[in-house]
């Protein structure tokens, strides 16, 4: 079997790593490419960009399955175009992908189907947004670019001045491009975030293990938002009671809403949650595997990933029992100095290409390239150090020990992923 993975980051490396464990998988193509092909013997990078290029490649190379990791092509309708060409692809069609592609649409969807979420208003005019904020009494307030902003389009404003600046940054200065044509202004929920990835065949939603992401660049959740600086799984705050509330208040009405709106696909739904004293709220949907959540969750999955995907296509997910290793995982992101703002590329990375994976230590490549036999930095988030342990503390310790064996100039990572422990 030949598989094509769409995307270039650590998430795609983790997906390729997990799929390669199935003996039916002969070849994995990753586009537009990832240096992880130097670590996976049956993987190859291919430089593809447009949807048409992906379709042509899949046809010409007898690709039997395409798995979409990144969000932009989903929103553009890659799944619809693959289906028109008789090609099998795992991911939401354009109709469903808008749940991630437009925060304005997704908030209205939540309201329509009784899904517990923060009180909000939507604006497509900056002056009206600022006028609304002038009457806002309860700071902090959350301001979101409605479109795709690589996980960075959410600003928590502590006061009116910060809120006005956020609107101007997003809507006037177009800090996030067209993603800021609309903004969502919503109440700030005080609590603990949780991520729950899930598979769906549109008949059922099968949740995976919970995770806890760390979005801020600085320790103790300070500084700018990033695409994610690290994650642990399972999330210690997702108790059985919390998980039950998630299923009844969020997951089940989401499924009913999808069915009512005619969203019929095999793919992933990622629930971004906030656990508060008032209950469990839905912050957002992502319609693909999360990054870096995937890198922490998949190493704990005992099931064969390809089997889960195939059951989704067959609409037989209800027959699957998902099994997990009785362990904890900790994934720490090593980033280039200066990320998420300006950063340098091209520095040599040592300790990765000769890394020997073990059952409890993994390295996933996010932003790197191979030139003249050397691994060089080529992105803001460069790599993930992932470790498993019998306890969260053991997983943390192993992940940070693993990072000591890896080096590149300006390498930066948070020292408190999963909670401060040293």
């Amino acid at each position: 079997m030949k598989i094509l993975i769409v995307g270039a980051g650590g998430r795609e490396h983790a997906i390729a790593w997990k799929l390669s464990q199935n003996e039916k998988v002969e070849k994995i193509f990753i586009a537009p490419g990832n240096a992880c092909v130097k670590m996976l013997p049956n993987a190859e990078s291919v430089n593809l960009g447009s949807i048409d290029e992906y379709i042509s490649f899949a046809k010409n190379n007898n690709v039997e399955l395409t798995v979409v990791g990144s969000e932009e092509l989903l929103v553009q309708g890659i799944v619809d175009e693959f289906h028109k060409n008789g090609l099998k692809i795992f991911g939401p069609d354009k109709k469903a992908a808008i749940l991630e592609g437009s925060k304005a649409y997704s908030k209205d969807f939540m309201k329509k189907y009784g899904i517990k979420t923060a009180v909000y208003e939507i604006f497509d005019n900056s002056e009206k947004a600022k006028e609304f904020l002038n009457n806002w009494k309860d700071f902090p307030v959350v301001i979101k670019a409605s479109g795709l902003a690589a996980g960075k389009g959410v600003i928590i404003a502590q006061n009116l001045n910060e809120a006005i600046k956020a609107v101007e940054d997003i809507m006037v200065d177009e800090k996030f491009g067209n993603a800021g044509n609309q903004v969502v202004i919503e109440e700030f929920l005080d609590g603990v975030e949780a991520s729950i990835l899930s598979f769906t065949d549109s008949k059922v939603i099968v949740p995976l293990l919970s995770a806890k992401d760390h979005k801020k660049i600085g320790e103790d959740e300070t500084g700018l938002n990033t695409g994610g600086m690290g994650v642990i799984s399972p999330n210690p705050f997702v108790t059985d009671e919390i998980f039950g509330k998630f299923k009844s208040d969020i997951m089940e009405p989401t499924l009913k809403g999808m069915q009512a709106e005619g969203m019929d696909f095999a793919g992933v739904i990622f629930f971004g949650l906030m656990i508060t004293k008032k209950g469990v709220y839905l912050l957002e949907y992502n319609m693909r595997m999360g990054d870096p959540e995937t890198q922490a969750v998949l190493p704990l999955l005992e099931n064969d990933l390809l089997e889960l995907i195939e059951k989704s296509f067959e609409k037989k997910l209800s027959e699957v029992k998902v099994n997990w290793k009785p362990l904890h995982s900790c994934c720490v992101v090593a980033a280039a100095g200066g990320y998420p703002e300006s950063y340098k590329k091209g520095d040599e990375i040592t300790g990765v290409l000769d890394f020997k994976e073990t059952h409890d230590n993994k390295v996933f490549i996010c932003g790197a390239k191979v030139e003249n036999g050397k691994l060089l930095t080529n992105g803001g988030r460069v790599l993930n150090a992932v470790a498993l342990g019998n306890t969260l503390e053991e997983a943390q310790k192993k992940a940070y020990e693993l990072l000591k064996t890896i080096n590149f100039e300006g390498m930066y990572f948070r020292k408190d992923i999963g909670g401060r422990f040293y």
Side-chain angles (χ1 to χ4, degrees):
M1 188 175 193
K2 294 179 179 177
I3 296 175
L4 173 61
I5 297 176
V6 179
R11 164 183 51 208
E12 287 73 31
H13 183 176
I15 293 169
W17 166 81
K18 187 68 175 173
L19 287 172
S20 69
Q21 294 166 15
N22 186 302
E23 60 184 18
K24 288 196 297 187
V25 177
E26 171 196 347
K27 188 81 175 177
I28 297 175
F29 301 104
I30 305 175
N34 185 305
C36 73
V37 297
K38 293 292 182 184
M39 302 165 73
L40 296 171
N42 60 347
E44 179 184 332
S45 284
V46 286
N47 187 17
L48 304 174
S50 70
I51 292 174
D52 286 343
E53 287 176 341
Y54 278 98
I55 290 169
S56 295
F57 182 87
K59 285 182 173 179
N60 294 336
N61 291 274
N62 300 314
V63 169
E64 295 168 68
L65 169 66
T66 298
V67 178
V68 187
S70 55
E71 56 271 32
E72 286 184 23
L73 290 177
L74 290 171
V75 171
Q76 290 172 27
I78 189 173
V79 171
D80 309 67
E81 296 306 314
F82 264 61
H83 286 164
K84 286 177 191 174
N85 284 271
L87 296 166
K88 187 179 277 192
I89 184 167
F90 186 67
D93 59 12
K94 202 170 184 177
K95 180 185 274 190
I98 196 172
L99 284 170
E100 176 170 7
S102 169
K103 289 185 174 63
Y105 177 91
S106 69
K107 292 292 288 190
D108 285 346
F109 176 92
M110 294 173 208
K111 181 189 282 186
K112 183 176 180 180
Y113 293 104
I115 298 158
K116 197 165 183 176
T117 191
V119 174
Y120 70 98
E121 292 290 341
I122 298 166
F123 297 92
D124 52 18
N125 178 286
S126 62
E127 291 306 315
K128 288 184 177 176
K130 288 190 277 189
E131 184 180 321
F132 174 79
L133 285 167
N134 276 314
N135 295 308
W136 188 271
K137 305 293 185 206
D138 192 16
F139 287 92
V141 65
V142 182
I143 299 161
K144 300 177 177 179
S146 179
L148 298 177
K152 305 184 187 89
V154 178
I155 297 166
I156 299 171
Q158 300 297 327
N159 52 53
L160 179 60
N161 288 340
E162 288 185 14
I164 297 295
K165 183 179 185 306
V167 168
E168 289 177 346
D169 284 348
I170 294 171
M171 303 193 79
V172 180
D173 298 336
E174 299 181 345
K175 185 175 181 180
F176 305 110
N178 293 337
N181 289 348
Q182 276 187 315
V183 294
V184 176
I185 299 176
E186 65 180 36
E187 68 171 320
F188 173 76
L189 297 173
D190 191 18
V192 177
E193 286 195 50
S195 307
I196 297 181
L197 302 171
S198 63
F199 284 86
T200 187
D201 57 9
S202 299
K203 290 175 69 178
V204 296
I205 296 175
V206 176
L208 304 186
L209 206 57
S210 64
K212 186 176 189 302
D213 187 17
H214 295 68
K215 274 272 188 267
K216 299 285 191 180
I217 188 66
E219 285 158 22
D220 298 321
E221 300 305 320
T222 57
L224 295 172
N225 262 348
T226 71
M229 290 303 296
V231 64
I232 56 169
S233 181
N235 187 326
F237 295 93
V238 180
T239 60
D240 289 344
E241 181 185 1
I242 293 296
F243 194 72
K245 287 179 179 176
F246 154 71
K247 289 175 77 172
S248 62
D249 296 350
I250 294 168
M251 189 184 87
E252 288 165 8
T254 293
L255 181 61
K256 288 177 184 172
M258 284 168 46
Q259 291 169 341
E261 297 292 331
M263 297 176 181
D264 189 3
F265 67 96
V268 171
I269 306 175
F270 169 124
F271 297 91
L273 309 176
M274 183 67 80
I275 303 165
T276 77
K277 291 177 181 175
K278 298 186 291 181
V280 184
Y281 289 77
L282 180 61
L283 296 176
E284 63 178 1
Y285 297 108
N286 291 339
M287 302 304 287
R288 36 75 197 184
M289 302 285 274
D291 188 340
E293 288 89 348
T294 301
Q295 295 92 298
V297 171
L298 285 188
L300 294 171
L301 178 65
E302 287 195 332
N303 297 64
D304 180 80
L305 180 57
L306 183 57
E307 182 195 353
L308 280 176
I309 291 171
E310 288 178 333
K311 288 291 185 186
S312 301
F313 287 122
E314 295 165 8
K315 295 197 178 295
K316 292 182 178 177
L317 266 181
S318 59
E319 299 175 4
V320 176
K321 181 174 181 357
V322 182
N323 296 307
W324 299 98
K325 295 173 184 173
L327 301 172
H328 296 255
S329 70
C330 178
C331 166
V332 183
V333 174
Y339 174 79
E341 297 187 293
S342 62
Y343 52 85
K344 194 165 62 130
K345 296 180 182 180
D347 290 316
E348 184 178 358
I349 306 165
T350 58
V352 173
L353 289 183
D354 54 356
F355 168 74
K356 297 291 187 288
E357 178 185 316
T358 66
H359 71 281
D360 55 359
N361 274 355
K362 329 280 175 203
V363 173
F364 295 124
I365 295 176
C366 312
K369 61 182 179 179
V370 176
E371 277 186 9
N372 302 319
K374 293 181 178 180
L375 188 65
L376 307 178
T377 62
N378 196 40
R381 291 187 296 174
V382 177
L383 56 88
N384 309 129
V386 181
L388 309 184
N390 291 312
T391 64
L392 171 58
E393 291 75 16
E394 185 183 348
Q396 287 175 303
K397 185 176 180 181
K398 286 180 178 177
Y400 283 105
E401 288 292 326
L402 176 54
L403 274 173
K404 290 179 183 176
T405 69
I406 297 167
N407 188 55
F408 57 87
E409 188 178 336
M411 183 169 91
Y412 169 79
F413 55 88
R414 282 181 53 172
K415 297 181 177 66
D416 62 346
I417 299 303
R420 189 168 294 283
F421 84 111
Y422 79 81

